[in-house]
Amino acid sequence: MSLSALLAAAPSPEPAGSLDEAAERAGNAAGWVQENWSTWLNTGLRILLILTIALVLRYVIRRALTNLIDRMNRSAQAVEGTALGGLLVNAERRRQRSEAIGSVLRSVTSFMILGTAALMILGAFQINLAPLLASAGVAGVALGFGARNLVTDFLSGVFMILEDQYGVGDQIDAGVASGEVIEVGLRVTKLRGDNGEIWYVRNGEVKRIGNLSQGWSTAGVDVTVRPTEDLDRVRQAITEASGAMAKEEPWSERLWGPVEILGLDAVLLDSMTVRVTAKTMPGKALGVERELRWRIKQALDVAGIRMVGAVPLQADGETSADPTAGMAAPSAYASATSPQSLAATPIPPPSMTK
């Protein structure tokens, strides 16, 4: 092998300038890291502290809300088996109401805590939050206008639940529909109608609510008798019938007060109306009215007091009136051959044939 070939195959020595540049770059990188490592460590520890505080605070608050809801449910279950609990407390209603309130509070708590922590983390990275907050405000306004019905339904549902306007098992009249409440939600309320149908009512559409299951109800009965009847006997018969009803089951529990005779509600030439009312258990007024009518009618029949519309009784030996006495006398025009009918017959036209 020749000398020229050996010289060509031998590696050429690297220039000294490349090694100096690499060393300089390594030194600059090490210096930059040494200058900024404290800032990185401070930022990392700050972010870690923010996340830790946010998660711990979220857990503590959600735990406290859960314990509060469980305590509310236990207080409702404690009186569920008693007479007062069965009368005034609906366990399913209290459970759904407490769960709905707890779900809303937990969601609001998580959103506020985690949202604040996210903004603080972005601030730790020296990010300008002004454009982000402005964009979020514009997006919130646009979302509010676009989903205003949804927001209205949600807010209305929250206030309905917080104010306990109605609950599961209540009979309500919501204007757009009426029936028994079977489920209360933050957006819609389910009602069971009188014919078994289920109504889905948006909470934002409810302008007024008539709750027939809160407080007490009033049962009213109108007793219409003839104006010739003795009012003292009518009062005595109604009092005896209502008193016997108030002592029997289950009417003794459904009646929350004595049956009151308010007096004459109307006096006409052929009738007079006696008004009778009673305070009843919520939602039981219709059944009490039916039973009260039944008993009052029986008591009036026993006392011989006739109500308006009944067939008049006949005295012994009295003959019935002639049914034809009120009929008019026959007319001469009823017979086609009578002179009156012949005289009223139109004259036929003359015949044109010869």
Side-chain angles (χ1 to χ4, degrees):
M1 183 179 294
S2 62
L3 180 60
S4 61
L6 292 176
L7 292 175
S12 59
E14 294 182 358
S18 60
L19 294 177
D20 295 338
E21 291 178 359
E24 184 179 359
R25 292 176 181 176
N28 293 336
W32 182 77
V33 171
Q34 185 177 4
E35 291 177 359
N36 294 280
W37 74 271
S38 59
T39 304
W40 294 348
L41 181 61
N42 185 19
T43 303
L45 292 177
R46 185 177 179 182
I47 293 174
L48 182 61
L49 182 62
I50 292 173
L51 289 176
T52 303
I53 294 176
L55 293 178
V56 171
L57 185 62
R58 177 176 176 269
Y59 173 79
V60 171
I61 295 179
R62 288 174 65 92
R63 185 68 176 177
L65 293 174
T66 303
N67 293 335
L68 178 61
I69 293 170
D70 292 341
R71 190 178 300 110
M72 292 172 58
N73 292 333
R74 286 195 301 267
S75 63
Q77 294 175 359
V79 295
E80 184 178 0
T82 62
L84 181 62
L87 189 61
L88 300 179
V89 179
N90 190 322
E92 180 65 17
R93 170 178 175 173
R94 292 288 298 272
R95 185 188 64 81
Q96 287 199 5
R97 178 170 176 256
S98 60
E99 288 183 357
I101 295 175
S103 177
V104 172
L105 293 179
R106 284 193 292 264
S107 300
V108 171
T109 300
S110 299
F111 177 77
M112 293 182 62
I113 293 177
L114 296 181
T116 304
L119 293 178
M120 293 178 67
I121 290 174
L122 293 178
F125 284 109
Q126 303 299 325
I127 298 177
N128 188 9
L129 299 180
L132 180 62
L133 295 178
S135 301
V138 173
V141 172
L143 182 62
F145 278 108
R148 58 183 181 273
N149 291 334
L150 182 61
V151 175
T152 301
D153 297 340
F154 180 81
L155 293 178
S156 299
V158 170
F159 283 106
M160 286 179 182
I161 293 175
L162 291 176
E163 296 173 359
D164 195 18
Q165 298 180 7
Y166 56 82
V168 176
D170 288 353
Q171 288 285 341
I172 68 170
D173 181 3
V176 294
S178 60
E180 180 183 356
V181 180
I182 60 177
E183 185 178 343
V184 179
L186 294 177
R187 193 179 70 86
V188 297
T189 298
K190 293 182 182 180
L191 302 178
R192 176 77 67 179
D194 296 334
N195 298 324
E197 69 275 11
I198 296 179
W199 298 97
Y200 293 85
V201 182
R202 288 173 42 204
N203 295 329
E205 294 182 350
V206 178
K207 304 301 180 183
R208 60 159 179 86
I209 297 175
N211 196 325
L212 306 179
S213 300
Q214 287 183 352
W216 44 268
S217 300
T218 302
V221 176
D222 292 331
V223 182
T224 305
V225 297
R226 296 182 180 274
T228 56
E229 299 292 344
D230 188 0
L231 290 178
D232 293 334
R233 294 180 57 202
V234 174
R235 180 189 297 272
Q236 182 179 0
I238 296 175
T239 303
E240 292 177 356
S242 60
M245 177 180 173
K247 297 178 181 178
E248 298 180 3
E249 296 289 342
W251 312 112
S252 59
E253 296 181 359
R254 299 181 183 179
L255 284 171
W256 282 11
V259 179
E260 299 180 1
I261 302 177
L262 301 182
L264 287 176
D265 191 62
V267 179
L268 304 176
L269 293 176
D270 58 346
S271 65
M272 57 182 179
T273 304
V274 179
R275 182 68 175 175
V276 180
T277 61
K279 186 179 294 185
T280 68
M281 182 187 301
K284 303 298 182 181
L286 185 59
V288 172
E289 289 177 358
R290 292 171 178 171
E291 183 66 18
L292 197 57
R293 291 191 186 97
W294 185 288
R295 293 175 180 264
I296 290 176
K297 178 60 171 62
Q298 290 181 339
L300 294 179
D301 291 342
V302 172
I305 300 174
R306 289 176 293 178
M307 302 180 66
V308 172
V311 179
L313 299 177
Q314 297 180 1
D316 296 339
E318 182 181 354
T319 59
S320 59
D322 186 5
T324 62
M327 298 176 60
S331 175
Y333 291 96
S335 177
T337 58
S338 63
Q340 292 83 355
S341 297
L342 293 177
T345 302
I347 300 176
S351 178
M352 301 302 294
T353 59
K354 294 183 180 179

